[in-house]
Amino acid sequence: MKIRSVKANNHKKVIEVRTYKGVYEYQYAGLGLCPSKANPLTSIYVDDELGKEAFTYSLASGDEDTIHIDRVLEQNRDPAFMRDLLLYKLTIEASRCLNPHRI
């Protein structure tokens, strides 16, 4: 899924991620590098190098991190994403049961 735009909402402490399916909120607490008053968010953008499937953000300290859309969908428990994730896990488990020595 492609990201159309991202915007930080410091009041709610979320990043608003806009896709063709709608707007998802990604909590600051889920970020690897969490912004704070001492180290605020300085920039955020949709990462074209990752096919617009991720966003990159920077903090005042110069630290930078990238978040893939899958993490946003998982945090928001998007029904289609959760279905696909469950199907993937069931496929792996079935493969283990059929071939216990291969995996």
Side-chain angles (χ1 to χ4, degrees):
M1 178 183 312
K2 304 255 187 247
I3 299 174
R4 291 184 173 177
S5 65
V6 288
K7 181 174 73 169
N9 183 331
N10 289 322
H11 180 70
K12 292 172 71 175
K13 295 187 179 182
V14 298
I15 294 174
E16 296 170 353
V17 180
R18 181 175 300 279
T19 70
Y20 73 91
K21 288 178 74 176
V23 178
Y24 298 93
E25 292 183 345
Y26 191 78
Q27 302 292 324
Y28 280 4
L31 297 172
L33 303 169
C34 196
S36 65
K37 287 184 181 181
N39 193 18
L41 200 64
T42 55
S43 70
I44 185 168
Y45 60 92
V46 177
D47 202 323
D48 291 331
E49 291 182 8
L50 295 172
K52 296 186 178 184
E53 291 184 353
F55 64 88
T56 299
Y57 65 97
S58 300
L59 302 178
S61 65
D63 292 332
E64 188 175 270
D65 197 10
T66 300
I67 305 294
H68 194 271
I69 187 65
D70 288 350
R71 287 179 58 187
V72 176
L73 295 173
E74 186 173 12
Q75 188 182 83
N76 283 274
R77 303 194 60 76
D78 179 72
F81 178 80
M82 298 307 286
R83 180 200 63 225
D84 292 345
L85 183 60
L86 176 62
L87 181 59
Y88 172 75
K89 289 179 179 180
L90 289 171
T91 302
I92 295 297
E93 191 59 34
S95 179
R96 283 189 185 131
C97 290
L98 294 172
N99 301 307
H101 300 292
R102 283 184 57 182
I103 297 179

